[in-house]
Amino acid sequence: MTNQIRPEYPRPLLQRSHWLNLNGLWNFGTDSDNVGLNQQWWRRDSWPDVITVPFCPNSPASGVVIDPATTCVWYHRSFELPEWDSEDVALNIGACDYRTQIYINGQQVGQHEGGYTPIHLAIGDYLKPGQNQIALRVTDSDSWQQPRGKQAGTTRWPIDYDGVIGIWQSVWLEPINRVHITHIGSHYDRAEQQLHLVCTLAQTFTGQCTAALRSDSEQVAFAEVNSQGRSEVRLQLAVAEPQLWSPDRPFLYDLALSLVDAAGENLDQVASYTGLREITVRNGKQCLNGEPIFLRGILDQGYFPTGWYTAEDDQALRRDVELTKAMGFNFARKHQKAEDPRYLYWADKLGLLIWAEMPSGRIFSSELVTSLSAQWLDLVRRDRGHPSVIGWVPFNESWGVWHVQQRPEQRAFVDGLVNLTKTLDTSRPVIGNDGWEYSSGDLWTLHLYHEPERSLDERLAGLEADPSQPVTKGQRPRNGALQGSDPSNLPMLLTECGGIGYQGNKTQADAFAYGDLPTSVEALEQEIRTVMASITSSRKLQGFVWTQFTDVQQEINGLLYFDRTPKLPITTLRAIFGPA
């Protein structure tokens, strides 16, 4: 079995020097009759198929085709345990959709729920020298009571895509001690010239936690704190003459963290990085490092032609960031997908601002409240160390809280999750319900597609005068804000617009776009320029998000085709979307 698939370290914010990549070929089988538990498939010797991990079944890169209605799959492989001198070993799976049971050498050692959050499990007690066996049972459903994002379920909207089941991010092992760092968060305060760090530990610990900040191998700041029997440690590092991070100059500092117990034993050492930048919302302005910033954004679904949720290789993730910047954008709204940490790394390194968004469910229930809240808070903990991430979006267009205007429990869900997000991170804006029906949050974000009969400024002025005005048409119009909420003093952003489709020479029966399709590239360019002219002329907006980065399957709203080929020359797109 090969380990040459996605060989890069999967979690750039928290790297350990020793690790074993388990990507590559795994044994695989579907369990349509749900007999695997009774028949103890975790002990199975022969398997009907092999799959390339970390690509989900039915994606071309996986090498496996299954019935899309399949709700249970099994994975298995053997591996040689390295001779690590460590107290324990952690199994890491970046993401596996949706409910995962894990077996090591014939014993169930853990389980996990959630299709977007990482699995980190201590398995050392179940391992033996030499060859070991790992098996996974993964179940999913088509229920919209669980967070699914844009995976097609019981119904397929024109904006839904093929579903995902099973492993879709990298799998790896690493040696650890029982006490080790599991998450790193950071934010920078310009007035104090201090970097604030929060380190989450696997268990309570009494000893020293140290942090060293370096630039070009030269230490520029150091902090040490006694953890005093806690499982979360906070450190402050004073940084004289800081080099600030921005899209134009994405300077990153190296960060080294360690845990040392009372006897002086070094329990954990991790390598990380950070960017010193401050994002604030004050006096109706959104600012980066104290200066107002206009967000020129693209809506990015994060789907790939051969791997769906998963990029073919690390260069494909880097290329997406580079293409976004080359087209003139400084910002990407990652839509209905918790993105691969490697993408966020490239955004950090190359200088692209990001909103992190929770994939939605669409049926309000106790299950949705519980599962979405737990996964969202895990994702905030996972990503709050990335300087590129400048906003949290727990809800989109009232998906899953369709009756937020009428049902107080749905409004409480939105407002509660906004506040819970702030308990973990006060350094970034929270966009409570992106698109309409504002009730809480730090920005007022609206989804307005082009209407020839009314200018954009007319529509924005009407909403500013009365935020409860409808944003959408139809039998159940959505209002700009809920009764009792007044976002008119907040920064106003147009976070979905455009949506102009173009197929080129292709013909697709189920092709979807907002409005009629231009019949030539010249007509496409003219329509894009017309919409953008209304946006750039507006004095009310502090940013926009264009729909969208690429075509995805049947949706043809992309500035690029699904294979990332541009529909218009990149230089033309940059002239339209880039800074004036």
Side-chain angles (χ1 to χ4, degrees):
M1 291 190 177
T2 178
N3 284 332
Q4 299 307 306
I5 305 298
R6 294 295 300 267
E8 66 282 347
Y9 192 87
R11 188 185 54 207
L13 270 184
L14 202 162
Q15 298 190 56
R16 295 187 171 90
S17 55
H18 299 291
W19 65 293
L20 177 65
N21 189 336
L22 294 184
N23 291 340
L25 295 178
W26 288 53
N27 300 315
F28 181 79
T30 61
D31 189 5
S32 300
D33 297 324
N34 198 23
V35 298
L37 288 176
N38 286 335
Q39 296 179 4
Q40 299 187 355
W41 281 15
W42 59 88
R43 301 182 188 276
R44 187 172 182 172
D45 293 324
S46 61
W47 293 82
D49 218 330
V50 293
I51 188 171
T52 302
V53 168
F55 304 104
C56 68
N58 286 334
S59 68
S62 73
V64 167
V65 177
I66 65 174
D67 183 343
T70 299
T71 59
C72 183
V73 296
W74 286 77
Y75 294 80
H76 168 270
R77 67 162 289 167
S78 61
F79 62 90
E80 181 84 16
L81 182 67
E83 294 182 1
W84 287 326
D85 182 17
S86 65
E87 187 179 28
D88 210 335
V89 173
L91 168 67
N92 297 283
I93 304 175
C96 187
D97 193 6
Y98 181 76
R99 294 179 177 88
T100 306
Q101 294 167 256
I102 302 160
Y103 301 83
I104 299 293
N105 293 327
Q107 298 186 64
Q108 184 173 344
V109 300
Q111 55 190 9
H112 177 85
E113 180 173 310
Y116 300 94
T117 50
I119 299 172
H120 177 76
L121 182 65
I123 61 171
D125 289 342
Y126 306 93
L127 297 174
K128 59 187 180 181
Q131 284 289 312
N132 289 264
Q133 309 294 318
I134 180 172
L136 305 179
R137 177 180 185 262
V138 187
T139 59
D140 200 358
S141 76
D142 59 9
S143 172
W144 283 111
Q145 294 184 108
Q146 72 185 46
R148 298 183 59 83
K150 287 201 169 186
Q151 299 182 55
T154 52
T155 59
R156 178 167 183 158
W157 287 5
I159 55 171
D160 286 336
Y161 316 128
D162 287 336
V164 172
I165 185 173
I167 300 169
W168 66 273
Q169 285 186 30
S170 288
V171 184
W172 77 102
L173 302 177
E174 59 190 354
I176 56 168
N177 283 295
R178 299 293 168 91
V179 177
H180 61 278
I181 299 169
T182 58
H183 299 93
I184 300 171
S186 64
H187 73 270
Y188 181 68
D189 188 301
R190 286 188 317 116
E192 298 176 352
Q193 288 195 332
Q194 280 198 335
L195 173 65
H196 295 259
L197 297 177
V198 55
C199 298
T200 306
L201 312 181
Q203 61 187 51
T204 57
F205 167 66
T206 297
Q208 299 297 314
C209 179
T210 67
L213 193 70
R214 298 189 177 100
S215 174
D216 295 327
S217 300
E218 180 181 346
Q219 183 169 295
V220 297
F222 180 83
E224 183 178 55
V225 66
N226 193 310
S227 66
Q228 299 177 335
R230 300 178 181 178
S231 60
E232 188 171 271
V233 183
R234 296 177 183 272
L235 305 98
Q236 290 81 41
L237 289 82
V239 186
E241 300 180 358
Q243 299 190 61
L244 299 183
W245 184 97
S246 71
D248 294 329
R249 191 173 184 273
F251 185 87
L252 297 175
Y253 288 87
D254 294 322
L255 184 62
L257 296 153
S258 66
L259 298 176
V260 180
D261 68 12
E265 181 182 356
N266 196 324
L267 301 182
D268 198 14
Q269 284 186 308
V270 298
S272 186
Y273 66 88
T274 190
L276 306 184
R277 65 102 184 93
E278 183 183 64
I279 184 80
T280 55
V281 179
R282 292 178 186 146
N283 301 319
K285 295 288 184 183
Q286 183 172 219
C287 297
L288 177 66
N289 298 329
E291 298 294 329
I293 184 168
F294 188 86
L295 297 180
R296 305 185 309 277
I298 191 74
L299 190 74
D300 186 351
Q301 313 282 359
Y303 263 71
F304 295 87
T306 63
W308 294 356
Y309 265 177
T310 311
E312 298 86 340
D313 54 40
D314 198 46
Q315 287 305 306
L317 294 170
R318 175 173 184 156
R319 182 182 61 169
D320 275 9
V321 175
E322 291 174 335
L323 281 169
T324 301
K325 295 198 70 174
M327 289 188 289
F329 299 103
N330 62 5
F331 167 60
R333 177 182 161 217
K334 299 302 294 190
H335 189 39
Q336 290 301 295
K337 179 192 176 189
E339 194 49 272
D340 187 325
R342 293 294 309 185
Y343 177 92
L344 298 179
Y345 164 75
W346 287 115
D348 294 337
K349 189 171 181 63
L350 301 176
L352 182 65
L353 303 171
I354 302 293
W355 277 359
E357 181 175 315
M358 181 63 205
S360 298
R362 296 181 196 167
I363 296 177
F364 182 80
S365 65
S366 298
E367 180 184 345
L368 182 66
V369 171
T370 301
S371 60
L372 190 145
S373 298
Q375 291 180 65
W376 174 244
L377 296 177
D378 276 351
L379 290 168
V380 172
R381 278 188 288 266
R382 189 195 76 169
D383 294 339
R384 61 183 171 172
H386 288 283
S388 61
V389 176
I390 63 161
W392 304 115
V393 187
F395 293 91
N396 170 69
E397 293 186 342
S398 304
W399 292 9
V401 286
W402 301 113
H403 302 96
V404 68
Q405 293 189 58
Q406 298 84 23
R407 294 177 59 179
E409 67 271 28
Q410 294 191 6
R411 182 167 180 168
F413 183 26
V414 174
D415 295 343
L417 206 50
V418 168
N419 288 319
L420 276 174
T421 304
K422 289 177 178 289
T423 66
L424 293 180
D425 181 24
T426 59
S427 71
R428 295 170 175 87
V430 181
I431 300 90
N433 184 16
D434 188 45
W436 47 66
E437 295 183 322
Y438 171 93
S439 63
S440 59
D442 301 305
L443 304 173
W444 190 15
T445 59
L446 299 164
H447 296 178
L448 301 173
Y449 288 92
H450 186 57
E451 291 183 6
E453 62 270 20
R454 286 192 300 166
S455 73
L456 178 61
D457 258 356
E458 286 175 332
R459 298 167 74 188
L460 295 176
L463 284 163
E464 200 170 38
D466 179 8
S468 65
Q469 282 193 2
V471 172
T472 65
K473 300 177 181 179
Q475 292 183 342
R476 188 188 296 169
R478 302 289 175 177
N479 298 335
L482 301 184
Q483 291 293 332
S485 299
D486 182 11
S488 58
N489 63 332
L490 297 176
M492 179 187 286
L493 291 88
L494 183 63
T495 49
E496 279 193 31
C497 61
I500 300 168
Y502 183 69
Q503 293 192 88
N505 295 323
K506 303 174 184 177
T507 56
Q508 189 171 337
D510 61 347
F512 172 82
Y514 295 92
D516 297 330
L517 300 184
T519 56
S520 66
V521 291
E522 293 79 12
L524 172 65
E525 179 180 345
Q526 184 55 51
E527 286 201 32
I528 292 174
R529 287 187 180 276
T530 298
V531 176
M532 273 306 299
S534 68
I535 294 170
T536 55
S537 65
S538 173
R539 297 185 178 182
K540 302 179 184 300
L541 294 174
Q542 295 187 35
F544 70 91
V545 176
W546 188 268
T547 305
Q548 61 186 3
F549 180 52
T550 73
D551 294 349
V552 181
Q553 297 181 347
Q554 81 284 350
E555 193 171 1
I556 57 169
N557 296 318
L559 296 175
L560 312 175
Y561 293 107
F562 201 13
D563 66 2
R564 276 51 175 176
T565 302
K567 297 181 180 180
L568 295 173
I570 292 290
T571 52
T572 301
L573 294 170
R574 185 174 185 84
I576 297 171
F577 294 107

